[in-house]
Amino acid sequence: MTRLYDDPASFAEDMVEGFVAANPGYVRQVPGGVVRSRRARRGKVAVVTGGGSGHYPAFCGVVGPGFADGAVIGNIFTSPSAEDAYSVGRAADNGAGVVFSFGNYAGDNMNFGLAVERLEREGIRAHNVVVTDDVASAPAEEHAKRRGVVGDFVVFKVASAAAEEGYSFDEVVRVAEHANDRTRSLGVAFDGCTLPGQDHPLFEVPAGRMGLGLGIHGEPGVSERDMPSASELAKILVDGLLAEAPETGGTPRVAAILNGLGATKYEELFVVWRTASRLLAEAGVEVVAPEVGELVTSLDMAGCSLTLTWLDDELERLWQAPVDTPAYRKGTVSQPETDESDVDEELRAPAERVTVVAPAEGQATAAVVVKALHTVADALRDAEDELGRLDAIAGDGDHGRGMTRGSSAAVAAADEAAAQGVGPAAVLLAAGDAWAAKAGGTSGALWGAALRSFGDLLPDHREATGGDLAAGAAAALATVQRLGRAEPGDKTLVDAMVPFVSELRAAIDSGAGGAQAWQQAAEAAAKAAERTAELRPRTGRARPLAERSVGTPDPGATSFALVMGRIGEVLAANTAA
Ligand code: ADP
Ligand code: MG
Protein backbone atom coordinates (compact mmCIF):
# COMPACT_ATOMS: atom_id res chain seq x y z
CA MET A 1 0.00 0.00 0.00
CA THR A 2 1.09 3.58 -0.57
CA ARG A 3 -0.63 5.24 2.38
CA LEU A 4 0.72 8.77 2.41
CA TYR A 5 -0.12 11.16 -0.37
CA ASP A 6 -2.04 14.37 -0.91
CA ASP A 7 -3.15 14.03 -4.49
CA PRO A 8 -2.28 10.74 -6.24
CA ALA A 9 -2.10 12.63 -9.57
CA SER A 10 0.73 14.86 -8.34
CA PHE A 11 2.52 12.26 -6.20
CA ALA A 12 5.75 12.34 -8.23
CA GLU A 13 5.94 16.16 -8.33
CA ASP A 14 5.18 16.41 -4.61
CA MET A 15 7.87 13.82 -3.91
CA VAL A 16 10.48 15.77 -5.90
CA GLU A 17 9.65 18.97 -4.05
CA GLY A 18 10.18 17.28 -0.70
CA PHE A 19 13.32 15.53 -1.92
CA VAL A 20 14.86 18.83 -3.03
CA ALA A 21 13.84 20.51 0.23
CA ALA A 22 15.61 17.73 2.12
CA ASN A 23 18.81 17.87 0.06
CA PRO A 24 19.56 21.48 -0.86
CA GLY A 25 23.29 20.87 -0.55
CA TYR A 26 23.11 18.25 -3.30
CA VAL A 27 20.38 19.04 -5.78
CA ARG A 28 18.29 21.79 -7.23
CA GLN A 29 15.14 21.44 -9.24
CA VAL A 30 14.97 22.25 -12.93
CA PRO A 31 12.04 21.61 -15.29
CA GLY A 32 11.86 17.82 -15.75
CA GLY A 33 14.05 16.78 -12.82
CA VAL A 34 17.07 17.77 -10.76
CA VAL A 35 20.73 18.69 -11.31
CA ARG A 36 23.59 19.03 -8.85
CA SER A 37 23.24 22.17 -6.77
CA ARG A 38 26.93 22.83 -7.30
CA ARG A 39 27.94 22.32 -10.89
CA ALA A 40 30.96 20.11 -11.60
CA ARG A 41 34.01 21.62 -13.24
CA ARG A 42 33.74 23.06 -16.71
CA GLY A 43 34.64 20.50 -19.35
CA LYS A 44 33.49 17.42 -17.39
CA VAL A 45 31.21 15.14 -19.39
CA ALA A 46 27.75 15.22 -17.78
CA VAL A 47 26.10 11.91 -16.92
CA VAL A 48 22.34 12.13 -16.60
CA THR A 49 20.18 9.23 -15.43
CA GLY A 50 16.47 9.00 -15.31
CA GLY A 51 13.22 7.27 -15.96
CA GLY A 52 9.89 6.99 -14.22
CA SER A 53 9.80 7.55 -10.49
CA GLY A 54 8.86 4.99 -7.86
CA HIS A 55 12.39 3.54 -7.74
CA TYR A 56 14.11 5.64 -5.07
CA PRO A 57 17.05 5.93 -4.50
CA ALA A 58 17.11 5.50 -8.27
CA PHE A 59 17.40 7.88 -9.90
CA CYS A 60 17.37 11.28 -8.24
CA GLY A 61 19.02 9.96 -5.07
CA VAL A 62 22.35 9.48 -6.85
CA VAL A 63 22.90 13.02 -8.11
CA GLY A 64 26.08 14.50 -6.65
CA PRO A 65 29.88 14.46 -6.79
CA GLY A 66 31.21 11.15 -8.15
CA PHE A 67 27.81 10.16 -9.48
CA ALA A 68 25.21 11.74 -11.78
CA ASP A 69 25.08 15.38 -12.82
CA GLY A 70 21.33 15.25 -13.14
CA ALA A 71 18.29 12.98 -13.08
CA VAL A 72 15.22 13.18 -15.28
CA ILE A 73 12.15 12.35 -13.23
CA GLY A 74 8.99 11.04 -14.85
CA ASN A 75 5.72 10.14 -13.20
CA ILE A 76 5.44 6.89 -11.29
CA PHE A 77 6.61 4.08 -13.61
CA THR A 78 6.16 6.38 -16.62
CA SER A 79 8.83 7.62 -18.98
CA PRO A 80 9.64 11.30 -18.62
CA SER A 81 8.84 13.34 -21.73
CA ALA A 82 11.44 14.24 -24.35
CA GLU A 83 11.07 17.83 -23.15
CA ASP A 84 11.95 16.78 -19.57
CA ALA A 85 15.04 14.85 -20.70
CA TYR A 86 16.15 17.71 -22.93
CA SER A 87 15.67 20.26 -20.16
CA VAL A 88 17.66 18.30 -17.56
CA GLY A 89 20.37 17.44 -20.09
CA ARG A 90 20.70 21.05 -21.07
CA ALA A 91 20.90 22.19 -17.43
CA ALA A 92 23.42 19.46 -16.53
CA ASP A 93 25.81 20.07 -19.42
CA ASN A 94 29.21 21.35 -18.32
CA GLY A 95 30.24 22.20 -21.84
CA ALA A 96 31.48 18.70 -22.73
CA GLY A 97 28.26 16.93 -23.67
CA VAL A 98 25.66 14.75 -21.98
CA VAL A 99 25.62 10.96 -21.68
CA PHE A 100 22.15 9.77 -20.74
CA SER A 101 21.84 6.33 -19.23
CA PHE A 102 18.57 4.56 -18.42
CA GLY A 103 16.93 1.15 -18.47
CA ASN A 104 15.68 -0.33 -21.72
CA TYR A 105 11.96 0.56 -22.07
CA ALA A 106 10.26 1.70 -25.29
CA GLY A 107 9.00 5.02 -23.90
CA ASP A 108 12.38 5.95 -22.41
CA ASN A 109 14.22 4.98 -25.60
CA MET A 110 11.99 7.19 -27.68
CA ASN A 111 11.91 10.22 -25.38
CA PHE A 112 15.60 10.20 -24.50
CA GLY A 113 16.30 9.62 -28.21
CA LEU A 114 14.39 12.77 -29.08
CA ALA A 115 16.18 14.71 -26.34
CA VAL A 116 19.53 13.64 -27.78
CA GLU A 117 18.53 14.86 -31.23
CA ARG A 118 17.39 18.18 -29.87
CA LEU A 119 20.56 18.74 -27.82
CA GLU A 120 22.69 17.86 -30.83
CA ARG A 121 20.78 20.33 -32.97
CA GLU A 122 21.76 22.96 -30.44
CA GLY A 123 25.39 21.95 -30.63
CA ILE A 124 25.54 19.91 -27.39
CA ARG A 125 26.94 16.42 -27.84
CA ALA A 126 24.60 13.81 -26.44
CA HIS A 127 24.29 10.03 -26.46
CA ASN A 128 22.12 7.35 -24.86
CA VAL A 129 23.51 4.28 -23.11
CA VAL A 130 20.64 1.84 -22.66
CA VAL A 131 20.97 -0.69 -19.84
CA THR A 132 19.88 -4.28 -20.59
CA ASP A 133 20.75 -6.47 -17.60
CA ASP A 134 17.61 -8.49 -16.81
CA VAL A 135 18.37 -12.08 -17.83
CA ALA A 136 14.73 -13.16 -17.45
CA SER A 137 13.38 -10.70 -20.00
CA ALA A 138 14.96 -12.10 -23.19
CA PRO A 139 17.40 -14.88 -24.09
CA ALA A 140 21.17 -14.28 -23.98
CA GLU A 141 21.44 -14.01 -27.78
CA GLU A 142 19.01 -11.09 -27.60
CA HIS A 143 20.89 -9.18 -24.92
CA ALA A 144 19.95 -5.83 -26.47
CA LYS A 145 16.23 -6.60 -26.01
CA ARG A 146 16.51 -7.21 -22.28
CA ARG A 147 14.97 -4.83 -19.77
CA GLY A 148 17.10 -2.60 -17.60
CA VAL A 149 16.69 -3.26 -13.89
CA VAL A 150 19.23 -2.89 -11.07
CA GLY A 151 22.12 -3.03 -13.54
CA ASP A 152 21.17 0.60 -14.15
CA PHE A 153 22.89 1.43 -10.89
CA VAL A 154 26.23 -0.14 -11.83
CA VAL A 155 26.29 1.31 -15.33
CA PHE A 156 25.42 4.83 -14.07
CA LYS A 157 28.02 4.52 -11.32
CA VAL A 158 30.80 3.44 -13.66
CA ALA A 159 29.97 6.03 -16.32
CA SER A 160 29.77 8.77 -13.70
CA ALA A 161 33.09 7.83 -12.11
CA ALA A 162 34.73 7.82 -15.54
CA ALA A 163 33.38 11.30 -16.27
CA GLU A 164 34.60 12.48 -12.87
CA GLU A 165 38.10 11.15 -13.67
CA GLY A 166 38.13 13.29 -16.80
CA TYR A 167 37.35 10.68 -19.48
CA SER A 168 36.41 12.12 -22.87
CA PHE A 169 32.83 11.88 -24.15
CA ASP A 170 33.57 8.85 -26.34
CA GLU A 171 35.43 7.12 -23.52
CA VAL A 172 32.55 7.62 -21.06
CA VAL A 173 30.19 6.06 -23.61
CA ARG A 174 32.61 3.20 -24.26
CA VAL A 175 33.08 2.29 -20.60
CA ALA A 176 29.34 2.59 -19.87
CA GLU A 177 28.53 0.21 -22.72
CA HIS A 178 31.28 -2.11 -21.58
CA ALA A 179 29.83 -2.13 -18.03
CA ASN A 180 26.41 -2.96 -19.47
CA ASP A 181 27.87 -5.86 -21.49
CA ARG A 182 29.32 -7.27 -18.30
CA THR A 183 26.22 -6.86 -16.09
CA ARG A 184 23.46 -9.41 -15.36
CA SER A 185 20.50 -9.30 -12.97
CA LEU A 186 17.81 -11.71 -11.82
CA GLY A 187 14.95 -10.79 -9.50
CA VAL A 188 12.10 -12.40 -7.59
CA ALA A 189 8.85 -11.02 -6.22
CA PHE A 190 6.78 -12.18 -3.29
CA ASP A 191 4.12 -9.55 -3.82
CA GLY A 192 3.24 -6.71 -6.21
CA CYS A 193 3.29 -2.99 -5.57
CA THR A 194 0.43 -0.53 -5.31
CA LEU A 195 0.32 2.85 -7.04
CA PRO A 196 -0.58 5.87 -4.89
CA GLY A 197 -4.36 6.21 -4.67
CA GLN A 198 -5.04 2.61 -5.77
CA ASP A 199 -6.31 -0.04 -3.40
CA HIS A 200 -5.09 -3.04 -5.40
CA PRO A 201 -1.53 -4.02 -6.25
CA LEU A 202 -0.55 -4.19 -9.93
CA PHE A 203 -0.23 -7.96 -9.57
CA GLU A 204 -0.42 -10.47 -6.75
CA VAL A 205 1.63 -13.53 -5.97
CA PRO A 206 -0.35 -16.30 -4.29
CA ALA A 207 0.68 -17.01 -0.68
CA GLY A 208 3.54 -19.49 -0.48
CA ARG A 209 4.62 -18.79 -4.07
CA MET A 210 7.27 -16.58 -5.66
CA GLY A 211 7.46 -14.88 -9.06
CA LEU A 212 10.80 -15.35 -10.80
CA GLY A 213 12.10 -12.76 -13.29
CA LEU A 214 9.92 -9.77 -12.46
CA GLY A 215 10.23 -6.26 -13.85
CA ILE A 216 10.61 -3.12 -11.77
CA HIS A 217 7.41 -1.44 -12.98
CA GLY A 218 5.04 -3.88 -11.41
CA GLU A 219 5.44 -6.42 -14.20
CA PRO A 220 4.87 -9.86 -12.68
CA GLY A 221 7.50 -12.57 -12.91
CA VAL A 222 7.94 -14.66 -16.03
CA SER A 223 7.38 -17.86 -14.05
CA GLU A 224 6.17 -18.88 -10.62
CA ARG A 225 7.35 -21.44 -8.10
CA ASP A 226 7.04 -22.37 -4.45
CA MET A 227 8.50 -19.93 -1.97
CA PRO A 228 12.04 -21.07 -1.13
CA SER A 229 14.05 -20.56 2.06
CA ALA A 230 16.59 -17.71 2.13
CA SER A 231 19.48 -19.99 1.26
CA GLU A 232 17.53 -21.75 -1.49
CA LEU A 233 16.74 -18.33 -2.94
CA ALA A 234 20.42 -17.36 -2.76
CA LYS A 235 21.22 -20.46 -4.78
CA ILE A 236 18.54 -19.73 -7.40
CA LEU A 237 19.88 -16.21 -7.91
CA VAL A 238 23.58 -17.10 -7.90
CA ASP A 239 23.12 -20.11 -10.21
CA GLY A 240 20.90 -18.10 -12.54
CA LEU A 241 23.55 -15.42 -13.00
CA LEU A 242 26.64 -17.65 -13.09
CA ALA A 243 24.98 -19.56 -15.94
CA GLU A 244 25.18 -16.31 -17.90
CA ALA A 245 28.73 -15.31 -16.93
CA PRO A 246 30.51 -13.46 -19.74
CA GLU A 247 33.95 -14.65 -20.87
CA THR A 248 36.53 -12.79 -18.83
CA GLY A 249 39.58 -15.00 -18.30
CA GLY A 250 41.45 -15.32 -14.99
CA THR A 251 39.74 -15.43 -11.62
CA PRO A 252 36.40 -13.72 -12.06
CA ARG A 253 35.93 -10.60 -9.94
CA VAL A 254 32.44 -9.13 -9.69
CA ALA A 255 30.65 -6.11 -8.32
CA ALA A 256 27.51 -7.41 -6.61
CA ILE A 257 24.23 -5.85 -5.55
CA LEU A 258 21.66 -7.73 -3.53
CA ASN A 259 18.81 -5.28 -3.94
CA GLY A 260 15.63 -4.96 -1.92
CA LEU A 261 12.61 -3.92 -3.99
CA GLY A 262 10.93 -1.81 -1.35
CA ALA A 263 9.14 -4.07 1.12
CA THR A 264 11.87 -6.58 1.92
CA LYS A 265 13.81 -5.90 5.11
CA TYR A 266 17.54 -5.36 5.23
CA GLU A 267 17.74 -8.17 7.78
CA GLU A 268 16.17 -10.58 5.29
CA LEU A 269 18.60 -9.42 2.60
CA PHE A 270 21.56 -10.06 4.89
CA VAL A 271 20.31 -13.58 5.56
CA VAL A 272 20.17 -14.19 1.79
CA TRP A 273 23.57 -12.57 1.25
CA ARG A 274 25.11 -14.85 3.89
CA THR A 275 24.56 -17.80 1.54
CA ALA A 276 24.98 -15.90 -1.74
CA SER A 277 28.43 -14.65 -0.76
CA ARG A 278 29.46 -18.18 0.29
CA LEU A 279 28.19 -19.69 -2.99
CA LEU A 280 30.04 -17.10 -5.05
CA ALA A 281 33.26 -17.78 -3.15
CA GLU A 282 32.79 -21.55 -3.65
CA ALA A 283 32.34 -20.95 -7.37
CA GLY A 284 35.71 -19.16 -7.40
CA VAL A 285 34.19 -15.73 -7.90
CA GLU A 286 35.69 -12.86 -5.93
CA VAL A 287 33.20 -10.20 -4.86
CA VAL A 288 34.39 -6.57 -4.83
CA ALA A 289 32.64 -4.00 -2.59
CA PRO A 290 29.20 -5.64 -2.52
CA GLU A 291 26.07 -3.61 -1.83
CA VAL A 292 23.24 -5.17 0.14
CA GLY A 293 20.26 -2.85 0.45
CA GLU A 294 17.76 -0.79 -1.50
CA LEU A 295 19.29 0.79 -4.60
CA VAL A 296 16.55 0.42 -7.21
CA THR A 297 13.12 -0.14 -5.70
CA SER A 298 9.67 -0.62 -7.15
CA LEU A 299 7.38 1.22 -4.69
CA ASP A 300 6.34 -1.33 -2.09
CA MET A 301 7.07 -4.46 -4.08
CA ALA A 302 8.18 -7.36 -1.89
CA GLY A 303 11.15 -9.13 -3.37
CA CYS A 304 14.79 -8.78 -4.18
CA SER A 305 17.26 -9.20 -6.99
CA LEU A 306 20.90 -10.03 -7.48
CA THR A 307 23.09 -8.10 -9.91
CA LEU A 308 26.63 -9.07 -10.87
CA THR A 309 29.04 -7.08 -13.01
CA TRP A 310 32.15 -8.95 -14.17
CA LEU A 311 34.97 -6.48 -13.57
CA ASP A 312 38.28 -5.75 -15.20
CA ASP A 313 40.82 -3.35 -13.66
CA GLU A 314 39.17 -0.30 -15.15
CA LEU A 315 35.63 -1.25 -14.14
CA GLU A 316 36.84 -2.20 -10.66
CA ARG A 317 38.50 1.18 -10.14
CA LEU A 318 35.39 3.01 -11.33
CA TRP A 319 33.08 0.85 -9.21
CA GLN A 320 35.20 1.67 -6.14
CA ALA A 321 35.55 5.40 -6.84
CA PRO A 322 34.26 7.79 -4.16
CA VAL A 323 30.73 9.17 -4.29
CA ASP A 324 28.79 11.70 -2.26
CA THR A 325 25.07 11.87 -3.02
CA PRO A 326 21.84 12.07 -1.00
CA ALA A 327 21.23 8.33 -1.03
CA TYR A 328 24.61 6.76 -1.67
CA ARG A 329 28.04 7.59 -0.27
CA LYS A 330 31.29 5.76 -0.77
CA GLY A 331 34.81 6.72 0.33
CA THR A 332 35.75 10.36 0.58
CA VAL A 333 35.21 12.69 -2.32
CA SER A 334 38.32 14.83 -2.31
CA GLN A 335 37.93 16.70 -5.54
CA PRO A 336 37.02 20.30 -4.77
CA GLU A 337 33.76 21.02 -6.50
CA THR A 338 33.56 24.35 -8.27
CA ASP A 339 31.07 26.59 -6.61
CA GLU A 340 28.19 28.35 -8.18
CA SER A 341 30.12 31.57 -8.76
CA ASP A 342 32.31 29.82 -11.32
CA VAL A 343 29.37 28.75 -13.35
CA ASP A 344 28.98 30.13 -16.77
CA GLU A 345 25.31 30.96 -16.35
CA GLU A 346 24.80 31.18 -20.06
CA LEU A 347 25.40 27.43 -20.22
CA ARG A 348 22.59 26.80 -17.80
CA ALA A 349 19.95 28.93 -19.47
CA PRO A 350 17.64 27.13 -21.86
CA ALA A 351 18.54 27.78 -25.46
CA GLU A 352 16.89 30.78 -26.97
CA ARG A 353 16.07 29.92 -30.50
CA VAL A 354 17.93 32.22 -32.85
CA THR A 355 15.63 33.81 -35.40
CA VAL A 356 17.21 33.85 -38.84
CA VAL A 357 15.13 35.84 -41.29
CA ALA A 358 14.92 33.93 -44.56
CA PRO A 359 15.05 35.37 -48.08
CA ALA A 360 11.76 35.76 -49.99
CA GLU A 361 11.99 32.24 -51.51
CA GLY A 362 12.25 30.66 -48.06
CA GLN A 363 9.43 32.78 -46.67
CA ALA A 364 7.25 31.74 -49.62
CA THR A 365 7.87 28.04 -48.89
CA ALA A 366 7.24 28.69 -45.21
CA ALA A 367 3.87 30.23 -46.10
CA VAL A 368 2.86 27.06 -47.96
CA VAL A 369 3.96 24.98 -44.98
CA VAL A 370 1.81 27.09 -42.66
CA LYS A 371 -1.19 26.80 -44.98
CA ALA A 372 -0.73 23.04 -45.13
CA LEU A 373 -0.52 22.78 -41.34
CA HIS A 374 -3.78 24.72 -40.95
CA THR A 375 -5.53 22.41 -43.42
CA VAL A 376 -4.12 19.36 -41.67
CA ALA A 377 -5.24 20.55 -38.24
CA ASP A 378 -8.78 21.21 -39.54
CA ALA A 379 -8.96 17.78 -41.16
CA LEU A 380 -7.69 16.04 -38.03
CA ARG A 381 -10.24 17.87 -35.87
CA ASP A 382 -13.00 16.58 -38.18
CA ALA A 383 -11.57 13.07 -38.03
CA GLU A 384 -10.93 13.06 -34.30
CA ASP A 385 -13.81 10.80 -33.30
CA GLU A 386 -13.22 8.31 -36.08
CA LEU A 387 -9.50 8.03 -35.31
CA GLY A 388 -10.30 7.59 -31.64
CA ARG A 389 -12.75 4.82 -32.51
CA LEU A 390 -10.13 2.99 -34.58
CA ASP A 391 -7.58 3.27 -31.75
CA ALA A 392 -10.06 2.05 -29.13
CA ILE A 393 -10.52 -1.29 -30.88
CA ALA A 394 -7.14 -2.61 -29.79
CA GLY A 395 -5.29 0.43 -28.42
CA ASP A 396 -6.23 3.03 -25.84
CA GLY A 397 -8.53 5.27 -27.88
CA ASP A 398 -6.46 8.44 -27.66
CA HIS A 399 -5.18 8.68 -31.22
CA GLY A 400 -7.76 11.20 -32.47
CA ARG A 401 -7.33 13.39 -29.41
CA GLY A 402 -3.54 13.23 -29.64
CA MET A 403 -3.44 14.13 -33.35
CA THR A 404 -5.83 17.04 -32.80
CA ARG A 405 -3.89 18.41 -29.86
CA GLY A 406 -0.56 17.98 -31.63
CA SER A 407 -1.59 19.55 -34.92
CA SER A 408 -3.34 22.50 -33.24
CA ALA A 409 -0.25 23.23 -31.18
CA ALA A 410 1.87 22.89 -34.32
CA VAL A 411 -0.29 25.43 -36.15
CA ALA A 412 0.04 27.98 -33.36
CA ALA A 413 3.82 27.54 -33.20
CA ALA A 414 4.14 27.69 -36.99
CA ASP A 415 2.09 30.88 -37.21
CA GLU A 416 4.29 32.50 -34.62
CA ALA A 417 7.53 31.40 -36.29
CA ALA A 418 6.43 32.43 -39.77
CA ALA A 419 5.44 35.87 -38.50
CA GLN A 420 9.10 36.42 -37.68
CA GLY A 421 10.08 35.81 -41.28
CA VAL A 422 11.90 32.49 -40.89
CA GLY A 423 12.19 29.79 -43.56
CA PRO A 424 10.44 26.40 -43.83
CA ALA A 425 12.97 24.47 -41.72
CA ALA A 426 12.56 26.83 -38.78
CA VAL A 427 8.77 26.79 -39.11
CA LEU A 428 8.69 23.00 -39.11
CA LEU A 429 11.16 22.85 -36.22
CA ALA A 430 8.87 25.01 -34.10
CA ALA A 431 5.80 23.09 -35.28
CA GLY A 432 7.42 19.70 -34.62
CA ASP A 433 8.52 20.62 -31.10
CA ALA A 434 5.04 21.93 -30.29
CA TRP A 435 3.38 18.83 -31.75
CA ALA A 436 5.55 16.45 -29.72
CA ALA A 437 5.10 18.47 -26.53
CA LYS A 438 1.30 18.66 -26.75
CA ALA A 439 0.14 15.48 -28.47
CA GLY A 440 1.34 12.82 -26.04
CA GLY A 441 1.41 9.17 -27.03
CA THR A 442 3.76 7.34 -29.32
CA SER A 443 2.43 8.98 -32.42
CA GLY A 444 2.94 12.49 -30.99
CA ALA A 445 6.65 11.93 -30.43
CA LEU A 446 7.01 10.41 -33.90
CA TRP A 447 5.06 13.14 -35.72
CA GLY A 448 7.03 15.88 -33.99
CA ALA A 449 10.33 14.33 -34.99
CA ALA A 450 9.11 13.61 -38.52
CA LEU A 451 8.10 17.23 -39.12
CA ARG A 452 11.50 18.43 -38.00
CA SER A 453 13.37 15.97 -40.20
CA PHE A 454 11.22 16.83 -43.19
CA GLY A 455 11.79 20.54 -42.63
CA ASP A 456 15.55 20.14 -42.37
CA LEU A 457 15.66 19.35 -46.09
CA LEU A 458 13.63 22.32 -47.30
CA PRO A 459 15.84 25.19 -48.51
CA ASP A 460 15.63 28.82 -47.40
CA HIS A 461 17.41 30.43 -50.33
CA ARG A 462 15.52 28.98 -53.31
CA GLU A 463 12.13 27.52 -54.15
CA ALA A 464 11.59 23.96 -52.88
CA THR A 465 11.61 21.38 -55.69
CA GLY A 466 9.93 18.01 -55.99
CA GLY A 467 13.34 16.50 -55.22
CA ASP A 468 13.44 18.39 -51.91
CA LEU A 469 10.01 17.04 -51.00
CA ALA A 470 11.06 13.47 -51.80
CA ALA A 471 14.28 13.82 -49.82
CA GLY A 472 12.41 15.37 -46.89
CA ALA A 473 9.84 12.56 -46.86
CA ALA A 474 12.60 9.94 -46.92
CA ALA A 475 14.34 11.67 -44.00
CA ALA A 476 11.08 11.77 -42.03
CA LEU A 477 10.57 8.04 -42.60
CA ALA A 478 14.13 7.31 -41.49
CA THR A 479 13.53 9.29 -38.29
CA VAL A 480 10.27 7.49 -37.52
CA GLN A 481 11.92 4.11 -38.02
CA ARG A 482 14.99 5.03 -36.02
CA LEU A 483 12.91 6.21 -33.07
CA GLY A 484 10.06 3.73 -33.18
CA ARG A 485 11.96 0.75 -34.57
CA ALA A 486 8.86 -0.46 -36.40
CA GLU A 487 9.26 -2.45 -39.61
CA PRO A 488 6.80 -2.66 -42.50
CA GLY A 489 4.15 -5.22 -41.53
CA ASP A 490 4.16 -4.28 -37.83
CA LYS A 491 0.85 -2.45 -38.38
CA THR A 492 1.95 1.10 -37.70
CA LEU A 493 2.08 4.32 -39.64
CA VAL A 494 5.30 2.99 -41.20
CA ASP A 495 3.08 0.79 -43.38
CA ALA A 496 1.59 3.89 -44.99
CA MET A 497 4.78 5.92 -44.93
CA VAL A 498 6.94 3.44 -46.84
CA PRO A 499 4.75 3.33 -49.98
CA PHE A 500 4.25 7.08 -49.73
CA VAL A 501 7.98 7.75 -49.79
CA SER A 502 8.75 5.30 -52.58
CA GLU A 503 5.84 6.46 -54.77
CA LEU A 504 6.84 10.11 -54.26
CA ARG A 505 10.42 9.38 -55.27
CA ALA A 506 9.34 7.33 -58.30
CA ALA A 507 6.90 9.99 -59.52
CA ILE A 508 9.45 12.78 -59.15
CA ASP A 509 12.09 10.71 -60.95
CA SER A 510 9.73 10.09 -63.85
CA GLY A 511 9.21 13.82 -64.28
CA ALA A 512 6.03 14.64 -62.34
CA GLY A 513 5.77 18.03 -60.64
CA GLY A 514 5.92 18.19 -56.83
CA ALA A 515 2.16 18.59 -56.27
CA GLN A 516 1.18 15.86 -58.70
CA ALA A 517 3.78 13.44 -57.35
CA TRP A 518 2.63 14.16 -53.81
CA GLN A 519 -0.99 13.41 -54.70
CA GLN A 520 -0.02 10.12 -56.34
CA ALA A 521 2.00 9.21 -53.27
CA ALA A 522 -0.90 10.14 -50.98
CA GLU A 523 -3.16 7.76 -52.92
CA ALA A 524 -0.61 4.98 -52.46
CA ALA A 525 -0.54 5.78 -48.72
CA ALA A 526 -4.36 5.65 -48.52
CA LYS A 527 -4.46 2.21 -50.15
CA ALA A 528 -1.68 0.95 -47.92
CA ALA A 529 -3.44 2.29 -44.83
CA GLU A 530 -6.60 0.36 -45.78
CA ARG A 531 -4.56 -2.79 -46.29
CA THR A 532 -3.25 -2.57 -42.71
CA ALA A 533 -6.66 -3.95 -41.68
CA GLU A 534 -5.33 -7.42 -42.52
CA LEU A 535 -2.30 -7.07 -40.24
CA ARG A 536 -1.73 -7.87 -36.57
CA PRO A 537 0.15 -5.20 -34.57
CA ARG A 538 3.64 -6.31 -33.60
CA THR A 539 4.60 -3.19 -31.67
CA GLY A 540 3.00 -0.38 -29.67
CA ARG A 541 0.09 -0.40 -27.29
CA ALA A 542 -2.15 -2.44 -29.55
CA ARG A 543 0.18 -5.47 -29.56
CA PRO A 544 -1.30 -7.29 -26.54
CA LEU A 545 -4.74 -7.22 -28.19
CA ALA A 546 -3.43 -7.95 -31.67
CA GLU A 547 -6.23 -10.34 -32.69
CA ARG A 548 -8.95 -7.80 -31.97
CA SER A 549 -7.39 -5.39 -34.38
CA VAL A 550 -7.67 -7.67 -37.42
CA GLY A 551 -10.27 -6.20 -39.78
CA THR A 552 -9.61 -2.63 -38.59
CA PRO A 553 -6.99 -0.43 -40.25
CA ASP A 554 -4.18 0.95 -38.10
CA PRO A 555 -5.16 4.35 -36.69
CA GLY A 556 -1.69 5.83 -37.16
CA ALA A 557 -1.51 4.69 -40.80
CA THR A 558 -5.03 6.01 -41.42
CA SER A 559 -4.27 9.46 -40.03
CA PHE A 560 -1.00 9.56 -41.97
CA ALA A 561 -2.82 8.92 -45.25
CA LEU A 562 -5.43 11.53 -44.39
CA VAL A 563 -2.78 14.14 -43.63
CA MET A 564 -0.82 13.41 -46.82
CA GLY A 565 -4.02 13.69 -48.89
CA ARG A 566 -4.81 17.13 -47.46
CA ILE A 567 -1.26 18.37 -47.99
CA GLY A 568 -1.51 17.21 -51.60
CA GLU A 569 -4.60 19.40 -52.06
CA VAL A 570 -2.78 22.43 -50.62
CA LEU A 571 0.22 21.83 -52.90
CA ALA A 572 -2.02 21.47 -55.96
CA ALA A 573 -3.95 24.66 -55.16
CA ASN A 574 -0.68 26.44 -54.60
CA THR A 575 0.84 25.30 -57.88
CA ALA A 576 -2.27 26.25 -59.84
CA ALA A 577 -2.35 29.72 -58.29
P1 ADP B 1 -0.29 5.48 -28.26
O1 ADP B 1 -0.11 4.19 -28.98
O2 ADP B 1 0.89 5.86 -27.43
O3 ADP B 1 -1.62 5.57 -27.53
P2 ADP B 1 -1.48 6.96 -30.45
O4 ADP B 1 -2.74 6.27 -30.08
O5 ADP B 1 -1.53 8.43 -30.65
O6 ADP B 1 -0.32 6.62 -29.43
O7 ADP B 1 -0.93 6.37 -31.82
C1 ADP B 1 -1.08 5.03 -32.14
C2 ADP B 1 -0.39 4.81 -33.47
O8 ADP B 1 1.00 5.03 -33.32
C3 ADP B 1 -0.50 3.40 -33.97
O9 ADP B 1 -1.71 3.24 -34.68
C4 ADP B 1 0.71 3.27 -34.88
O10 ADP B 1 0.43 3.69 -36.19
C5 ADP B 1 1.68 4.25 -34.29
N1 ADP B 1 2.78 3.57 -33.62
C6 ADP B 1 2.78 2.95 -32.42
N2 ADP B 1 4.01 2.47 -32.15
C7 ADP B 1 4.79 2.79 -33.22
C8 ADP B 1 6.15 2.58 -33.57
N3 ADP B 1 6.97 1.94 -32.74
N4 ADP B 1 6.60 3.06 -34.75
C9 ADP B 1 5.76 3.70 -35.59
N5 ADP B 1 4.49 3.93 -35.31
C10 ADP B 1 3.99 3.49 -34.15
MG1 MG C 1 -3.40 5.36 -28.53
Side-chain angles (χ1 to χ4, degrees), residues 391 395-399:
D391 189 33
D396 53 2
D398 62 352
H399 187 62

Side-chain angles (χ1 to χ4, degrees), residues 36 38-42 44 69 94 164 337-338:
R36 291 189 197 179
R38 279 151 48 105
R39 171 183 291 279
R41 65 178 185 284
R42 196 68 200 273
K44 185 188 94 65
D69 292 82
N94 305 303
E164 209 75 58
E337 287 288 300
T338 44

Side-chain angles (χ1 to χ4, degrees), residues 391 396 398-399 441-443 446 480 484 486 492-494 539-541 554-557:
D391 189 33
D396 53 2
D398 62 352
H399 187 62
T442 316
S443 66
L446 295 174
V480 166
T492 70
L493 65 97
V494 168
T539 186
R541 298 209 164 203
D554 175 60

Side-chain angles (χ1 to χ4, degrees), residues 367-378:
V368 180
V369 167
V370 169
K371 204 185 287 174
L373 284 169
H374 276 272
T375 308
V376 163
D378 292 344

Side-chain angles (χ1 to χ4, degrees), residues 106 110 387 390-392 395-403 439-447 480-481 483-487 490-495 497 539-542 553-560:
M110 199 172 288
L387 292 172
L390 291 181
D391 189 33
D396 53 2
D398 62 352
H399 187 62
R401 189 83 209 102
M403 292 296 282
T442 316
S443 66
L446 295 174
W447 269 93
V480 166
Q481 288 204 274
L483 291 171
R485 298 185 190 167
E487 295 294 330
D490 286 351
K491 194 164 189 169
T492 70
L493 65 97
V494 168
D495 289 307
M497 259 187 124
T539 186
R541 298 209 164 203
D554 175 60
T558 306
S559 60
F560 176 82

Side-chain angles (χ1 to χ4, degrees), residues 158 289 357 450 569:
V158 163
V357 174
E569 290 164 17

Side-chain angles (χ1 to χ4, degrees), residues 406-449:
S407 56
S408 313
V411 162
D415 280 343
E416 197 182 316
Q420 297 179 314
V422 300
V427 166
L428 281 162
L429 173 60
D433 283 348
W435 190 312
K438 285 284 146 52
T442 316
S443 66
L446 295 174
W447 269 93

